[in-house]
């Protein structure tokens, strides 16, 4: 048992070191590619197209607590977005934004930092999943960097901010793989909640359902 615990500690230490390397590398490339050193974080990176609406929503959260109502726009009664149903599927991302607003007190900084943070978060998630699937370290490392800096993220950018937030997709792939290979996952019996994988994937499904309807469809397609 002691030997098993020691091996588990070593594995945990190794994966943390790997994730640290991925994080540092991704931050380095993010700074170089986006020229972060030239950015005024208080000014949104983009004002074109839907980026204006992203800025409006985040500024509304900053000033009014949530995105439902804004009395300073939409004469004469203000803006009300209760029936804008697609945003109900973004509640997890909005919660992250709400926390950033509380910390940073500046909607411009929030929108920029949220977008920039997607790069290292995505790289860490994808590298972790590939290592869980026992893929070679070098392939996992390079694959996670490549996946993080897909052209898709730059073309969507802040214009489609929440489509750029595809950091949970690697965990979706892991879920699909484990569902296919482990018959005990999501098996409904008295031991359901004793299986740690069931608990983990239940939380993942909750977070995913609140992180954009497009990626929920992506999951349902592959499960089907």
């Amino acid at each position: 048992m002691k030997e098993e615990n020691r091996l588990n500690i070593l594995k945990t230490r190794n994966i943390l070191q790997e994730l640290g390397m991925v994080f540092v590398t991704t931050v380095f490339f993010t700074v170089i590619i986006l020229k972060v050193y030239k950015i005024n974080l208080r000014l949104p990176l983009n004002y074109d197209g839907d980026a204006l609406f992203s800025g409006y929503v985040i500024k509304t959260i900053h000033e009014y607590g949530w995105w439902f109502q804004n009395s300073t726009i939409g004469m004469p009664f203000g803006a009300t977005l209760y029936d804008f149903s697609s945003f109900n599927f973004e509640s997890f991302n909005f919660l992250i934004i709400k926390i950033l607003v509380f910390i940073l007190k500046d909607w411009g900084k929030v929108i920029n930092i949220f977008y920039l943070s997607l790069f290292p978060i995505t790289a860490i998630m994808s590298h972790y999943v590939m290592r869980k699937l026992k893929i070679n370290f070098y392939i996992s490392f390079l694959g996670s960097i490549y996946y993080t800096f897909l052209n898709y993220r730059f073309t969507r950018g802040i214009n489609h901010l929440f489509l750029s937030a595809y950091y949970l997709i690697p965990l979706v792939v892991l879920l699909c793989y484990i569902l296919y290979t482990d018959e005990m996952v999501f098996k409904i019996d008295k031991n359901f909640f004793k299986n740690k994988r069931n608990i983990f994937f239940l939380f993942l499904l909750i977070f995913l359902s609140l992180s954009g309807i497009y990626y929920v469809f992506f999951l349902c397609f592959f499960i089907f």
Side-chain angles (χ1 to χ4, degrees):
M1 183 64 72
K2 288 184 179 180
E3 182 64 19
E4 184 179 344
N5 289 337
R6 190 178 71 84
L7 290 174
N8 288 334
I9 291 172
L10 286 175
K11 286 181 181 179
T12 302
R13 186 179 300 167
N14 288 338
I15 191 64
L16 288 176
Q17 289 175 347
E18 290 180 15
L19 294 178
M21 291 174 59
V22 170
F23 176 82
V24 171
T25 304
T26 308
V27 169
F28 173 77
F29 281 117
T30 303
V31 170
I32 297 300
I33 293 171
L34 294 177
K35 299 180 180 179
V36 176
Y37 46 86
K38 292 184 178 181
I39 293 174
N40 182 347
L41 288 178
R42 298 194 65 186
L43 301 177
L45 291 170
N46 193 355
Y47 281 105
D48 297 331
D50 287 350
L52 288 172
F53 187 60
S54 297
Y56 158 76
V57 170
I58 292 174
K59 196 170 191 296
T60 299
I61 292 174
H62 179 211
E63 295 184 354
Y64 295 94
W66 205 237
W67 58 272
F68 291 139
Q69 288 185 310
N70 187 326
S71 61
T72 55
I73 191 171
M75 285 291 290
F77 305 112
T80 302
L81 295 180
Y82 288 115
D83 58 349
F84 195 74
S85 57
S86 64
F87 269 9
N88 291 321
F89 294 94
E90 301 290 355
S91 296
F92 180 61
N93 287 321
F94 283 137
L95 176 61
I96 295 173
I97 287 170
K98 178 73 174 178
I99 294 170
L100 289 175
V101 164
F102 178 77
I103 295 171
L104 299 173
K105 313 294 186 184
D106 188 295
W107 72 273
K109 288 182 179 179
V110 169
I111 194 170
N112 287 333
I113 289 176
F114 179 84
Y115 178 69
L116 294 173
S117 67
L118 295 175
F119 291 87
I121 291 172
T122 303
I124 287 171
M125 290 288 194
S126 53
H127 181 82
Y128 173 78
V129 167
M130 284 189 276
R131 294 298 280 154
K132 288 289 288 184
L133 296 175
K134 303 187 185 303
I135 297 174
N136 176 277
F137 165 75
Y138 297 102
I139 295 175
S140 299
F141 182 82
L142 294 174
S144 65
I145 299 299
Y146 180 79
Y147 175 69
T148 297
F149 290 97
L150 287 174
N151 189 55
Y152 173 84
R153 171 162 280 156
F154 296 101
T155 55
R156 292 296 181 181
I158 290 178
N159 284 45
H160 298 141
L161 184 62
F162 300 120
L163 290 180
S164 299
Y166 55 79
Y167 53 90
L168 288 178
I169 295 299
L171 292 176
V172 168
V173 174
L174 180 63
L175 170 59
C176 291
Y177 175 80
I178 290 178
L179 280 175
Y180 186 74
T181 58
D182 187 347
E183 294 181 355
M184 299 306 296
V185 171
F186 287 160
K187 181 179 180 180
I188 307 300
D189 57 23
K190 62 181 181 180
N191 296 317
F192 182 87
F193 289 105
K194 293 181 181 179
N195 188 334
K196 292 181 180 179
R197 282 184 167 181
N198 288 339
I199 297 172
F200 173 78
F201 285 127
L202 277 176
F203 276 105
L204 172 61
L205 290 172
I206 292 171
F207 292 144
L208 186 70
S209 68
L210 299 175
S211 302
I213 192 169
Y214 294 102
Y215 300 138
V216 173
F217 180 85
F218 176 93
L219 170 62
C220 292
F221 175 83
F222 278 98
I223 289 178
F224 178 78

